[in-house]
Each structure stands twice: as structure tokens, then as C-alpha cells.
Amino acid sequence: MPEATLKVFRSKGDTNTFETYKVPIEDGMVILDAIHYIQQHYAPDLAVRWNCKAAKCGSCSAEVNGKPSLMCKTRMDDFTTGEEITVEPLRTFPLVKDLVTDVSWNYQVNKKIPPFTTNDNGEWVIYQEDIERVQEFRKCIECFLCQDVCHVLRDHDRKDAFMGPRFLVRTAGLDMHPKDTLNRSKYVKEQGGIGLCNITKCCSEVCPEEIHITDNAIIPMKERVVDQFYDPVTMFLNKIFNNKKKLV
Amino acid sequence: MQQSSSLRQQASFGTTTRKDAWWVEPVLVGLGFAAFIIYATFRAFENNYFEIGPYLSPFYSPKFNFDWWHMSPAFLILWIPAGFRATCYYYRKAYYRAYFADPPACAVGHFGGEKYCGETTFPLVLQNLHRYFFYLATIVLAVLWYDTVKAFFFNGAFGVSIVNLIMLANVILLSGYSFGCHACRHLVGGKLNCFSANACTKSQFKIWHWVTRLNEHHMLWAWLSLFSVGFTDFYIRQVACGAFPELQFF
């Protein structure tokens, strides 16, 4: 049976190391299977977070050969025979142990977003063309791979000023909802730090749900911010025609 | 709880555990842009061989001839398409990666210090004026379409040649690029939250859908139109200086 070589990140006390394991490859095997094999046969104390093993819960996010990926969606046969496969935790978030990181910062950011607000308390009739943009954003499984790969959070560590792609997607989903009555342009500019995003599209590249994060959420939100704060013509027209949405 | 700050601090320029050739794309993009910028600058300064018969180079269209302007007329034009492309969302991604290396590729350590302002301060805050360059570029595009139609008529008679076919391909590609722009997508309907509200918003939804289909391939349109505009100028230059024959089919 062919074997794969995995270099897995291990945290032991104050020292972080990579440990190498040999794992037999079976048909249809994914990286998470290999990690489970290592747990069962070599390192029962290896910490890994996982749940559904179907690319729907977003728990098993890690960096495989340097690329943010879901371990349950990364197939072993994507690698060449004999290739050394590196498995690391997400770099952007504080390490808990081995492959597990503390992603709780994301939940704090989420709580601050102005929630869905409507003044329509009757029976809703919503047409497909009005909701399909928002439906794409609802596919998000909150794996936080986009947050991990975003260089504003990863390299520049601007968690103090930037909400990250995941929450720009969520804000866009709320803002574009046909029944919502808030305009979140001010929020994404001042609290969300959308100006820090320089559109390098890594978030879209790593999204396991293939959400067009940059093209369909971040750029449209940037254009809404332009409407509100940078374009004198739309600012003037908004004043004349009294934009119905409440600016927050 | 142990913190992963040590993991982040290792991320100096080019640091990554990626094993693929992540550097190929930014290098090719950087070389491609550099080649175009050098050629366009040379042609703008050359101020010659830009017009022959009914053909006018896109670098010199619309053709201005002012007494008070003593430099190449190309400089009166080129700032518009240059500004449109420099503020374009696709090109921003491409040159932030290729020239600023911030980041050079996904999950690869960036170049530069910790002081990062993104597009919040001058000069990059001016990227927010992309839609104004879109308005100006649309006017220039309309003139290029006029030039192209005019290029099919020789002394009042319709004719087809290699040059006017190249010009036609160029304006089609430029139109695909310009009307697939993210700012255009927002202005035609993306800013709405309810497309079904009335007949006007329903029409806007249809236009938005067409623009979205172009926008999905914005990078491809951007590269093809960049190449075509350079090639159209090059071909007209070669015909104008006699290096290439003017092949007229009928």
C-alpha cells in the first residue's frame, strides 16, 4: 500500500515543531483521514477540530502545503506520490494546541454588525431576482479560511480596524436584502475598515463554497461607500431624493 | 492559552510553506504591464505614424490639434484610459500583487513594514473615483467606435481591410472590458436592493445581469483589451511607416 509523508505542526509547551508521520493511503482518502490515522496510531494527543467531514461545518480549517484549506475537502490524491505534505494551523488566529486555533475574535466582530432591521411586518412576498445575490452569501459555512488568508489580518494584524471578508459578506447580505431598512455604508467604512481591503482576492480563491467574496460582496459594498462618502454627485442626489434607508 | 504570535512574526517577505510556483503569476503580470507601459510611453513620445488614410491609432484618438499644446497629442488622451485601468478593481489586485507585493500571492509574506493603510489615505483613497474614469473612458470609447466605423469607408465607398478588422476587434474588446467594469455594474443596478419594485428597476435588473455576465470575466477582458489596443496601434504604425502593407480585401 502506498504511503504518504505528513509533516504536522505540533505545539509542545513553548516550542512549536513539525513532526513527520507516515500514513498508508487508501482510495478517496482526505487529509483529515490522515490526521485521524496519526491520532489513532502515533499521536493520540494530537489536537484537531472537526465535525461533519463533509465540507459543511467549517471546523477542520488548516493550512495544507501553505494553502488555507478544509482538511476534509483536500484529497490525498491531489498530491504526487512521495510528496511531503505540510499541515499547519491557521496562522491568523491564536494557537490553542497543534492544529486548533482560537477563532472567537470572529464571533465578537459578528455581534457588532447592525442586525437585519425591517419595518414590513406583513406577509412577505420576495421575488427570486431580489434575493439571489443574498442567497450566495448564505452559503458561507464560517470556516474562516478567508479571514485567515486575508493579508490585512494575517500579515498586518489589523484586527483592531478591519472586520475581514467573512463579515463584509455578512454585512453585504444584510444591506442588499430587499426588506432591510438600514444603510450600513458608514458602519463598514468606519467600524468595518473596508478601505483597508485592497482587493487582492485571496479570500475568493480559498473559499470552499466558491462564494465570489470580492466581486459580489466587497466591491459592491465599496461602491456603496463611494456613493455615500466619495462621489459628490450621488451624495447630492441622495440628499435631494432623500434615500429611504437609515444610515448606520 | 498559548498564543500564535510566533507564527505570524515569521511572515517576512516571501515567507510561505506553499510548494507551488506562486511567484510565476505576479512575475508574468508585472512583465506584461511593464511591456505595455514602455511601449505606450514610447508611442506617446514618438508623435508620428499614428494616422494613415481612414485609420487613426487608438493612442491618439480623439485627435486633438491645439495651438497651445506643443507636446504629443497622445498625452491629452492617454491619462483617461490609464486612469481607468489604474483604478480598475482587477488591475488593482494585479499590481498590488505584482509591484507592491502586498501580498505577492495568497498566504505568502508581504513586502514592507507594519504600517498599512490600504486604500484609506492619499493617494490610494483616490481609487474611489474609479467611476469618474469610467464616465470619461466611455466617451473615449464612443469616439473609438466612430473611428472604427469611419475606417470602413474609403473615399465614401465601403471596404474591408486587415486594419479596420483589427480596429473592430479592438473596440469590441474595449467595450467588453469597459461595460463589464465593477463601477458600471453598481451604477446600472447593483446599488438597488429591490429589483422587482417597478418597471424601471426590472429593466435595471436585466442590464445588471448582462453587465454581471461580462464582469465575471473581467480579468480576461482586461488583458485581451490591453493587448488589442497596443496591437492596433502597432499595426497602424507599421502600415503608416510602410513596414506592413495595407491588405484591403474589397
Side-chain angles (χ1 to χ4, degrees):
Chain A
M1 188 177 285
E3 277 190 334
T5 308
L6 273 83
K7 272 179 72 180
V8 181
F9 182 91
R10 301 298 309 268
S11 58
K12 290 183 178 173
D14 291 336
T15 53
N16 299 327
T17 55
F18 282 94
E19 288 188 4
T20 304
Y21 304 96
K22 297 274 186 191
V23 176
I25 303 174
E26 291 176 19
D27 283 347
M29 198 170 176
V30 292
I31 291 288
L32 186 59
D33 292 323
I35 294 294
H36 284 160
Y37 185 92
I38 292 166
Q39 270 186 329
Q40 287 161 12
H41 295 87
Y42 306 119
D45 61 336
L46 173 64
V48 58
R49 184 187 286 130
W50 70 285
N51 193 1
C52 74
K53 206 173 164 283
K56 285 294 164 197
C57 74
S59 303
C60 63
S61 300
E63 300 194 6
V64 180
N65 274 359
K67 289 184 180 175
S69 327
L70 292 179
M71 285 191 280
C72 68
K73 209 181 173 187
T74 309
R75 295 175 61 92
M76 296 295 283
D77 55 15
D78 287 345
F79 304 95
T80 51
T81 312
E83 182 181 349
E84 205 172 62
I85 303 165
T86 308
V87 186
E88 299 168 84
L90 303 179
R91 276 180 176 265
T92 302
F93 303 110
L95 185 69
V96 176
K97 186 175 186 291
D98 299 334
L99 300 177
V100 179
T101 52
D102 175 9
V103 294
S104 59
W105 172 79
N106 294 288
Y107 304 120
Q108 293 160 21
V109 174
N110 192 33
K111 281 181 194 164
K112 294 177 194 164
I113 297 172
F116 179 76
T117 307
T118 187
N119 54 14
D120 184 352
N121 296 318
E123 188 176 324
W124 292 0
V125 177
I126 298 181
Y127 294 95
Q128 183 59 32
E129 63 258 38
D130 289 328
I131 208 68
E132 64 188 10
R133 277 186 301 179
V134 178
Q135 280 178 327
E136 183 192 9
F137 306 147
R138 296 299 291 260
K139 289 195 300 179
C140 177
I141 57 173
E142 295 208 322
C143 59
F144 302 127
L145 291 177
C146 57
Q147 302 285 82
D148 177 55
V149 81
C150 173
H151 75 111
V152 182
L153 302 172
R154 182 188 183 92
D155 294 338
H156 299 289
D157 201 22
R158 294 303 307 270
K159 295 191 188 75
D160 59 318
F162 185 55
M163 68 202 307
R166 158 61 194 134
F167 298 107
L168 286 168
V169 166
R170 177 153 189 267
T171 311
L174 294 168
D175 218 57
M176 293 176 187
H177 195 288
K179 295 289 182 186
D180 184 75
T181 54
L182 298 184
N183 176 346
R184 295 169 182 77
S185 302
K186 189 169 181 234
Y187 181 79
V188 294
K189 178 176 181 281
E190 293 175 2
Q191 310 297 315
I194 195 168
L196 291 171
C197 169
N198 67 347
I199 335 282
T200 42
K201 282 198 171 182
C202 290
C203 49
S204 303
E205 285 186 23
V206 301
C207 180
E209 285 293 318
E210 297 180 358
I211 300 170
H212 298 89
I213 298 174
T214 322
D215 289 319
N216 290 351
I218 298 179
I219 294 174
M221 286 310 290
K222 272 186 173 260
E223 287 295 319
R224 286 174 184 227
V225 169
V226 173
D227 282 346
Q228 211 65 46
F229 297 99
Y230 296 106
D231 182 350
V233 176
T234 35
M235 286 158 72
F236 176 70
L237 292 174
N238 280 345
K239 278 192 177 170
I240 289 180
F241 294 107
N242 190 21
N243 196 329
K244 287 173 193 165
K245 287 194 131 192
K246 185 185 168 193
L247 189 64
V248 289
Chain B
M1 181 183 296
Q2 189 179 347
Q3 300 293 298
S4 71
S5 56
S6 57
L7 284 177
R8 202 184 70 78
Q9 281 164 5
Q10 293 163 11
S12 55
F13 175 59
T15 306
T16 185
T17 42
R18 279 180 65 169
K19 293 178 178 173
D20 57 334
W22 57 265
W23 49 271
V24 171
E25 186 186 321
V27 166
L28 290 179
V29 167
L31 290 175
F33 288 167
F36 182 83
I37 292 165
I38 291 166
Y39 175 75
T41 308
F42 158 72
R43 283 293 287 143
F45 276 104
E46 189 177 37
N47 195 14
N48 204 351
Y49 307 125
F50 56 81
E51 188 176 26
I52 180 166
Y55 313 131
L56 176 63
S57 160
F59 285 7
Y60 287 81
S61 178
K63 191 177 157 193
F64 291 126
N65 198 2
F66 300 120
D67 292 339
W68 49 268
W69 185 258
H70 302 295
M71 292 174 70
S72 165
F75 290 113
L76 294 170
I77 308 302
L78 288 180
W79 64 272
I80 295 174
F84 182 49
R85 288 187 189 256
T87 57
C88 161
Y89 286 101
Y90 164 67
Y91 282 102
R92 275 145 79 174
K93 170 206 162 185
Y95 66 72
Y96 285 139
R97 285 193 189 192
Y99 294 136
F100 291 72
D102 199 5
C106 302
V108 177
H110 69 113
F111 179 76
E114 287 294 302
K115 192 183 174 191
Y116 175 79
C117 302
E119 297 180 339
T120 59
T121 55
F122 184 82
L124 294 181
V125 72
L126 297 178
Q127 306 276 30
N128 289 307
L129 298 179
H130 180 50
R131 63 180 61 172
Y132 283 92
F133 282 108
F134 167 69
Y135 300 144
L136 293 169
T138 304
I139 296 168
V140 173
L141 183 62
V143 176
L144 290 178
W145 269 105
Y146 171 78
D147 290 342
T148 303
V149 172
K150 209 174 74 161
F152 278 86
F153 292 91
F154 303 87
N155 299 319
F158 181 79
V160 176
S161 70
I162 188 82
V163 183
N164 56 31
L165 287 179
I166 289 171
M167 289 174 76
L168 180 63
N170 179 45
V171 286
I172 290 170
L173 292 170
L174 285 172
S175 302
Y177 169 63
S178 302
F179 294 115
C181 147
H182 292 86
C184 174
R185 188 179 178 221
H186 173 76
L187 294 164
V188 299
K191 61 187 173 186
L192 297 173
N193 295 323
C194 187
F195 289 122
S196 63
N198 54 51
C200 179
T201 56
K202 283 177 184 172
S203 304
Q204 282 183 274
F205 175 69
K206 284 181 184 165
I207 299 168
W208 177 80
H209 234 283
W210 294 332
V211 173
T212 297
R213 290 180 73 175
L214 287 176
N215 181 264
E216 283 165 2
H217 307 286
H218 199 46
M219 180 183 80
L220 182 65
W221 289 109
W223 276 105
L224 289 176
S225 63
L226 190 76
F227 176 78
S228 76
V229 76
F231 184 71
T232 305
D233 172 80
F234 172 76
Y235 207 96
I236 290 173
R237 181 190 183 278
Q238 298 306 92
V239 171
C241 70
F244 288 178
E246 184 197 350
L247 296 172
Q248 192 169 341
F249 302 124
F250 60 87

